[in-house]
Amino acid sequence: MPQVGNAIPHESAVGHVTGTAAYIDDLPRRERELVVAFVGSPIAAGRLKEIKGLEAARSASGVRCVLTHEDLGGPNHFGPIISDEPFLVDEQLSYIGQPVVVIGADTQEAASEAAARIELVCEAAEPILSIDKAIECESFIGPHRHMTSPAAEDDKQFDAAFRDAPHTLAGRFHSNGQEQFYFETQAALAELREDGVVRVISSTQNPTETQTVVAEALGMGMHQVVCECPRMGGGFGGKETQSSLTAVMVSIVAAATGQPARLVLTRAQDMAITGKRHQYQCDYRIAFDNTGRLLAAEMAFYSNGGAFADLSTAVLERTMLHADNAYSIPMMRVTGQVCRTNLPPNTAFRGFGGPQGIAVIENGIERIAAHLGIDSCAVRRANLYQDGVAGRQQTHYGQIVRDHVLDEIFEQLAESSGYESRRREIQKFNSTSRTHAKGIALSPVKFGISFTTKFLNQANALVNVYMDGTVQVSTGGTEMGQGLNTKLKQIVADEFGLSIDRVQLMTTSTEKNINTSPTAASAGADLNGAAAVNACKKIKHRMREFAAVLLADVEKGLVASPEHICIEGGLVYDDRDLDPNARLAFGEFCSIARRERIDLGARGFFATPGVDYNRETGRGNPFFYYTTGAAVAEVTIDLLTGELVFDRADLLMDVGKMINPGIDRGQVIGGFMQGVGWVTNEELLFDDTGRLLSTGPTTYKIPNITDLPRTFNVDFIANTKHTKNIRHSKAVGEPPLMLGLAVWLAARNAVASVADGKPFELALPATGEELLMTLTDLTASSAPRDAKSADNGAPTNGVGAVKPRAGRS
């Protein structure tokens, strides 16, 4: 029975629900293991003049080492794209909590006592905390980026498109950041082997990056560092690069003392010093006709990158690549700039900049519909990419959007959700209710799958078939709960015609899989699955060559022919031989093959074909394919309190032929709800000094059970046109998150019902407080309030002007 296509339970499901799945903090304590702690910067910006108390800290009972940047064996800087971040502060202080001193001690109490004896003498400077301040100070990271569609390259033609358009609007849109809030905080354990190799067990999405930065910090070669990742308690992008500092701190302690060292951040520490989803500000203008058809668009994105580059330039690039979402826009100009501020360096988060770009165009669609007095769903359908239709299939960066079913998704979802009838019912409800307002919205997603950096689109896998017919698989992919290992087991089991219990996925280790890419960009199963299949095919080629000779039978007229050898159903046989006794059990065959010196192991490799994007020109094919889908969301808002109730969600996704329908369904639901959190309740708050105020679940509200929609429908649409990927599947990790925007759009639709045509702004996230203040302003005065804003509209050509207000940036 084939394993692919079945909803086989997650390989660690029992461990997850019983608490027996081991994470870094659960691993047995090593003999003489040290607790690692650190002292961080007390200010967001300034200069470190002196570190007092180092000797006093070193003399504290139970303290084994107190380390500063002077104790590093290599250069004091790192970064996945731009190497601008110090491991430990030398002089310049760039954000609150930035590591300055690292302590290794026998107990947590001893480490805390040593930390208390250390005083950082600092000279404070005025911090840059907002995008507006960074722009004013010209505090930037990386180059100013441009993407322009061919039709928009001529300035006169582009300006004419706006001048001659029946309608235009313009505005400024703000979206706030988001905390990854993985269940397991940043954690690492390091130990020095007797051969001098440093072994790091890290909760990381990126073992090769961890191996690299640890080697750099210690002044060692990569061959002297091994990084392992048994599993993570969640990652969501937050452990793609930011797991590095934790790993470095435990490694320098282990190297300095020769003793194992472990660091598991507290929740408050983790939230205070690690990067989040990027805050964004976008100035935009859109030209459109009387039917809502988009004629031209211009967007200028600014992101809050924090103190150092991290992945911010790549995140911004994906924002710009997704500024069109699912819509064909004839003339488009997109620019982008990362701003350097005195906050922890922001980083990857599920969607990787895509959500911030998509939010802008979706907000614009809502404003267009309001101006024309038509339903926003009609505007969306009028602008969708059309497969095979000239002029309606090319993106602003030049890639053709093909083999999709966007039209079919809209048609099927509108019908299955009863969108039109519900919209009429909501209008009727809103016309009579004085205490509540309902809203509904249907929004799509078109999300590009691949790393936009070409060289990262590769993977390798090691497959070993043992003489009893069981299989071990090692890849560079890391398991963080998303079900990657379960899918890989299914793929490999089918390659050898085995049951899934005869395949074992091994701990991810740089010792077995070299130079790997991070498990990110939704491409974990795509890349590592294809690499594993490549290895399996090499082994099966050898098996067939040997089996052809082994099973040849002159008396039966069976000449050795590898093409007729079948490896399936736990058996190896020649399909020309109908004698059941001539069939060998797979394990028996492997034992014979081993005795005949047949190699039953192989290393596989895969490089994604057809991806080639030129950053200098802003043109090319950055994506292998697109995952698409749409969602209908319905909400009810209490006009007296601002409380939002999520009434119903209907999701429809094209994820190709699913390798594991159960896991994919879980990914769609989880991703969607994480997106709902971003647009509703999850609000990051910093004080005027740059200190994070929302440092735990009591002050930062991730979705809980009461935030789920009262009715939740999830379905998948068939797409026979998609044949590119491993088993004709599609990536599913990130795309559903963008569908959470439908809830924000539905909330906006509800607020619009009481706005009586007045322009208004709604922040993202639309918290209960934000909804109540917006509603209060709309009912109290015709002038919108001057407060934190999602859309400082400055529309033209007859659309009512909106008073600008200070945006949250």
Side-chain angles (χ1 to χ4, degrees):
M1 175 183 174
Q3 304 298 311
V4 168
N6 294 324
I8 293 170
H10 191 291
E11 62 151 8
S12 298
V14 173
H16 289 159
V17 299
T18 60
T20 56
Y23 299 94
I24 301 267
D25 201 29
D26 302 316
L27 299 179
R29 269 24 189 190
R30 272 59 171 167
E31 185 177 357
R32 301 172 61 238
E33 181 181 310
L34 299 178
V35 172
V36 176
F38 66 94
V39 177
S41 171
I43 59 175
R47 188 169 66 89
L48 178 63
K49 298 177 67 177
E50 184 183 0
I51 305 175
K52 293 183 177 181
L54 285 176
E55 291 308 316
R58 291 181 177 120
S59 65
S61 177
V63 173
R64 303 303 170 192
C65 68
V66 177
L67 307 174
T68 69
H69 70 93
E70 294 178 347
D71 298 295
L72 295 172
N76 185 23
H77 57 82
F78 72 106
I81 300 173
I82 301 170
S83 186
D84 64 341
E85 182 172 358
F87 292 116
L88 297 174
V89 171
D90 177 0
E91 181 179 7
Q92 196 68 33
L93 298 165
S94 301
Y95 63 90
I96 291 177
Q98 184 182 6
V100 180
V101 179
V102 176
I103 299 165
D106 294 337
T107 64
Q108 185 62 58
E109 292 74 19
S112 298
E113 172 60 26
R117 295 184 181 188
I118 293 172
E119 178 187 356
L120 303 182
V121 181
C122 307
E123 182 180 291
E126 181 183 357
I128 298 173
L129 302 177
S130 71
I131 289 174
D132 286 336
K133 186 67 174 178
I135 294 172
E136 177 188 333
C137 298
E138 298 185 352
S139 176
F140 300 128
I141 297 172
H144 192 68
R145 297 290 304 280
H146 301 263
M147 289 182 196
T148 304
S149 59
E153 288 178 350
D154 185 274
D155 291 342
K156 290 183 178 180
Q157 291 182 8
F158 190 64
D159 291 339
F162 283 90
R163 185 182 62 248
D164 300 337
H167 309 276
T168 65
L169 57 81
R172 173 171 289 180
F173 189 88
H174 292 267
S175 59
N176 201 9
Q178 185 181 17
E179 163 64 34
Q180 290 88 354
F181 216 99
Y182 27 67
F183 283 171
E184 179 192 29
T185 59
Q186 300 283 0
L189 168 65
E191 52 191 356
L192 196 63
R193 298 193 328 202
E194 65 178 47
D195 58 1
V197 169
V198 176
R199 178 188 181 215
V200 185
I201 305 173
S202 177
S203 182
T204 179
Q205 295 172 239
N206 201 346
T208 290
E209 176 73 9
T210 302
Q211 176 193 27
T212 302
V213 296
V214 167
E216 289 175 351
L218 295 176
M220 302 172 74
M222 290 179 67
H223 66 300
Q224 296 171 294
V225 178
V226 174
C227 179
E228 299 175 12
C229 179
R231 64 159 58 86
M232 283 169 279
F236 307 118
K239 295 177 181 176
E240 185 174 341
T241 58
Q242 303 229 333
S243 53
S244 296
L245 270 178
T246 313
V248 166
M249 285 193 274
V250 296
S251 297
I252 61 175
V253 169
T257 63
Q259 298 176 236
R262 186 180 331 219
L263 172 59
V264 180
L265 298 185
T266 65
R267 177 65 60 188
Q269 282 179 320
D270 191 294
M271 291 187 70
I273 72 166
T274 62
K276 328 292 183 193
R277 186 186 298 285
H278 292 69
Q279 301 166 317
Y280 266 76
Q281 173 178 299
C282 179
D283 295 315
Y284 67 92
R285 59 174 179 157
I286 303 172
F288 54 100
D289 66 17
N290 293 326
T291 67
R293 179 77 180 96
L294 298 169
L295 303 176
E298 185 172 21
M299 302 175 188
F301 288 98
Y302 292 90
S303 71
N304 188 332
F308 303 107
D310 200 271
L311 292 166
S312 292
T313 53
V315 170
L316 178 70
E317 180 174 77
R318 187 171 280 266
T319 297
M320 297 169 68
L321 290 167
H322 286 78
D324 58 336
N325 193 16
Y327 310 116
S328 173
I329 305 173
M331 304 178 75
M332 195 168 183
R333 286 183 177 180
V334 185
T335 61
Q337 180 66 64
V338 179
C339 296
R340 191 187 298 274
T341 63
N342 292 112
L343 298 175
N346 286 316
T347 190
F349 194 148
R350 198 176 197 167
F352 203 78
Q356 297 95 315
I358 290 172
V360 174
I361 190 64
E362 291 300 329
N363 178 69
I365 294 287
E366 289 296 314
R367 291 192 60 199
I368 290 169
H371 173 57
L372 296 175
I374 60 178
D375 179 37
S376 60
C377 183
V379 178
R380 290 184 169 91
R381 295 193 72 167
N383 288 286
L384 289 175
Y385 281 106
Q386 302 292 320
D387 195 3
V389 178
R392 295 291 300 273
Q393 60 179 347
Q394 189 174 44
T395 66
H396 55 292
Y397 46 90
Q399 182 159 355
I400 301 298
V401 183
R402 53 169 56 94
D403 300 331
H404 65 84
V405 287
L406 281 167
D407 266 334
E408 294 89 335
I409 287 172
F410 261 70
E411 183 177 350
Q412 181 174 322
L413 183 59
E415 181 178 349
S416 64
S417 67
Y419 176 82
E420 286 296 336
S421 61
R422 287 165 60 194
R423 188 172 71 88
R424 290 191 294 269
E425 291 172 3
I426 285 171
Q427 288 176 331
K428 183 178 179 180
F429 174 89
N430 288 340
S431 68
T432 58
S433 176
R434 300 184 62 185
T435 59
H436 293 79
K438 286 181 173 290
I440 190 170
L442 191 162
S443 67
V445 64
K446 170 190 66 67
F447 193 79
I449 304 301
S450 287
F451 290 96
T452 57
T453 297
K454 183 177 179 178
F455 80 85
L456 292 176
N457 293 291
Q458 62 172 298
N460 61 79
L462 178 65
V463 176
N464 292 322
V465 180
Y466 291 89
M467 59 183 173
D468 64 350
T470 58
V471 185
Q472 281 187 355
V473 184
S474 302
T475 76
T478 54
E479 177 62 55
M480 61 198 88
Q482 84 279 34
L484 171 63
N485 284 354
T486 306
K487 287 185 175 183
L488 292 177
K489 288 177 72 171
Q490 291 175 268
I491 291 169
V492 171
D494 275 2
E495 283 296 315
F496 292 111
L498 301 173
S499 59
I500 196 170
D501 62 308
R502 295 180 70 80
V503 180
Q504 181 66 46
L505 260 292
M506 308 306 291
T507 290
T508 305
S509 171
T510 58
E511 199 168 17
K512 291 175 290 186
N513 297 98
I514 62 167
N515 307 331
T516 59
S517 298
T519 306
S522 299
D526 291 11
L527 294 172
N528 294 286
V533 166
N534 179 254
C536 292
K537 289 187 181 302
K538 292 178 180 179
I539 297 169
K540 289 195 316 184
H541 176 75
R542 298 182 207 127
M543 285 181 166
R544 287 195 173 101
E545 292 284 336
F546 172 64
V549 176
L550 181 66
L551 299 176
D553 192 324
V554 177
E555 293 182 1
K556 295 179 180 179
L558 300 179
V559 179
S561 177
E563 296 78 15
H564 286 280
I565 299 299
C566 296
I567 304 173
E568 60 185 28
L571 300 171
V572 179
Y573 62 93
D574 189 315
D575 63 8
R576 298 169 297 176
D577 194 338
L578 303 181
D579 182 1
N581 294 321
R583 300 187 172 198
L584 295 173
F586 186 75
E588 179 186 0
F589 170 77
C590 291
S591 180
I592 296 171
R594 187 248 180 173
R595 289 197 297 271
E596 294 299 324
R597 300 185 297 178
I598 304 301
D599 183 5
L600 299 180
R603 182 179 183 273
F605 182 79
F606 176 76
T608 307
V611 290
D612 196 7
Y613 175 71
N614 187 322
R615 287 194 172 91
E616 298 303 316
T617 63
R619 310 284 294 167
N621 298 307
F623 304 120
F624 190 33
Y625 62 88
Y626 297 93
T627 293
T628 59
V632 175
E634 180 181 333
V635 303
T636 301
I637 298 173
D638 188 320
L639 300 178
L640 304 177
T641 67
E643 180 185 8
L644 182 147
V645 175
F646 192 0
D647 299 315
R648 178 172 168 177
D650 296 81
L651 276 61
L652 184 61
M653 293 289 301
D654 167 23
V655 294
K657 293 183 179 179
M658 291 179 279
I659 294 172
N660 189 312
I663 285 175
D664 284 357
R665 182 180 177 85
Q667 285 292 292
V668 168
I669 293 171
F672 175 72
M673 287 308 301
Q674 197 165 44
V676 171
W678 175 53
V679 303
T680 56
N681 286 333
E682 295 188 41
E683 187 170 29
L684 292 167
L685 294 173
F686 294 85
D687 67 17
D688 292 340
T689 69
R691 188 177 303 278
L692 182 68
L693 300 176
S694 44
T695 56
T698 58
T699 51
Y700 186 81
K701 302 176 184 177
I702 63 172
N704 60 41
I705 193 68
T706 62
D707 296 309
L708 286 167
R710 303 311 186 252
T711 301
F712 202 165
N713 300 313
V714 177
D715 204 357
F716 301 91
I717 190 170
N719 180 359
T720 57
K721 295 185 287 186
H722 174 72
T723 58
K724 276 187 169 184
N725 199 38
I726 178 81
R727 299 290 187 266
H728 299 173
S729 65
K730 282 191 174 186
V732 70
E734 292 172 291
L737 185 140
M738 273 65 79
L739 295 181
L741 279 164
V743 178
W744 184 85
L745 295 167
R748 197 183 195 286
N749 179 251
V751 174
S753 71
V754 301
D756 195 26
K758 291 179 287 190
F760 68 92
E761 300 111 351
L762 183 65
L764 193 162
T767 62
E769 295 86 348
E770 174 66 20
L771 288 168
L772 180 60
M773 289 188 289
T774 302
L775 289 164
T776 300
D777 284 353
L778 285 169
T779 55
S781 168
S782 60
R785 60 193 171 90
D786 184 17
K788 55 190 179 182
S789 152
D791 180 12
N792 286 337
T796 60
N797 288 21
V799 184
V802 178
K803 177 185 175 183
R805 59 181 180 173
R808 177 176 52 236
S809 55

